[in-house]
DNA sequence: TAGGAGTTAAGAATAAATCTTATTTGATGT
DNA sequence: ACATCAAATAAGATTTATTCTTAACTCCTA
């Protein structure tokens, strides 16, 4: 399930459906983001792709991610970090953000997903989605703290 | 309740407790943010304060907000907009974000606040807080759409 | 009310993202 | 396979957001 080939096929279909050319750059950027679990920034992706596409420009990464976002293939993750960070849209999930090292960890929360929104939101407008962001310090940073002391 | 004077008193006490001088700039920036309901950016605040403090520098607004954030007097709001946006910390609440005009609306959700986090988060590390971000299109933008058509 | 550490203003510097333009490339029809 | 051309890209300039540097200023304490 959620086999990479299947996801790539869906990606290609979506691009075609919107009249987008399947360029080498687009394929590689999407594939890299799919493989990634770290919610990379445009710059991180650009570095990671340097071997495969040595002439890839950073601007293309930014532009391509913006395009993918419009198609709903990619999501911009809600963080307050200076650089925007991205993920391939695969399923409904939420984020734990480590305030110390900036690491993002996905988690699922079906109970929350199935919950209705509070009354006060009934009148604000049209709701598109609801997401939880949990802040804290990750295990790795915690044990780092300990070992350092 | 939550009388401005009381909040300002707490603000002053917190500053003193941390050895921060109560400068005119800090007072005005905090007071403006308290009055504001729009979750302004540093630049917006700077403009709004131009009358009261004509020589206030934008850098001071940024620096001061960062200082207040460290003291827990101010929060940086979780949005993906290019400019960071801030709010005075008063109570636990969540945000509705209009994807069209960027407006932020606070809402309360006690049921969510009292809920425990899912099991998968028991092992990620130390949790500081959990917040909901709801995305959509606000009423105003919706009716604007209608009237325009 | 004078002294000094902490703050600020101003503008330079950095960082993130976007724009401009000339060149290249993927898709289409042949 | 090949020519065509709109769309996409690379490169570097530009804009926008934020932070740094430094000299001047101001709140607090004695």
């Amino acid at each position: 399930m959620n086999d990479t080939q299947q996801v790539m096929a869906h990606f290609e279909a979506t691009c075609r459906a919107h009249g987008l050319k399947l360029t080498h750059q687009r394929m590689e950027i999407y594939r890299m983001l799919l493989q990634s679990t770290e919610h990379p920034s445009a710059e991180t992706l650009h570095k990671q792709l340097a071997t495969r596409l040595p002439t890839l420009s950073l601007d293309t990464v930014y532009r391509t991610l913006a395009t993918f976002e419009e198609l709903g293939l990619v999501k911009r993750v809600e963080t307050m970090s200076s650089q925007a960070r991205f993920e391939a849209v695969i399923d409904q999930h939420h984020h734990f953000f480590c305030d110390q090292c900036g690491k993002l960890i996905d988690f699922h929360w079906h109970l929350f997903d199935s919950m209705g929104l509070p009354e006060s939101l009934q009148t604000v407008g049209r709701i598109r989605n609801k997401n939880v962001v949990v802040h804290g310090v990750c295990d790795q940073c915690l044990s780092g703290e300990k070992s350092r002391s």
Side-chain angles (χ1 to χ4, degrees), chain A residues 55-74:
Chain A
T55 70
L56 178 71
S57 79
L58 181 56
D59 176 65
T60 296
V61 180
Y62 275 111
R63 200 167 9 78
T64 302
L65 288 169
T67 306
F68 290 171
E69 195 183 8
E70 280 167 32
L71 304 197
L73 289 166
V74 157

Side-chain angles (χ1 to χ4, degrees), chain A residues 36-41 75-81 83-87 93-107 132-136 138:
Chain A
S36 177
T37 59
E38 54 169 321
H39 311 78
S41 65
K75 250 190 188 168
R76 200 174 287 260
V77 182
E78 214 111 32
T79 58
M80 312 136 308
S81 53
Q83 283 185 282
R85 292 171 65 176
F86 301 85
E87 65 187 0
H93 64 264
H94 307 280
H95 292 117
F96 171 88
F97 182 81
C98 175
D99 293 324
Q100 202 156 314
C101 70
K103 184 163 59 187
L104 277 164
I105 298 172
D106 292 349
F107 68 92
V132 180
V133 182
V134 176
H135 279 260
C138 75

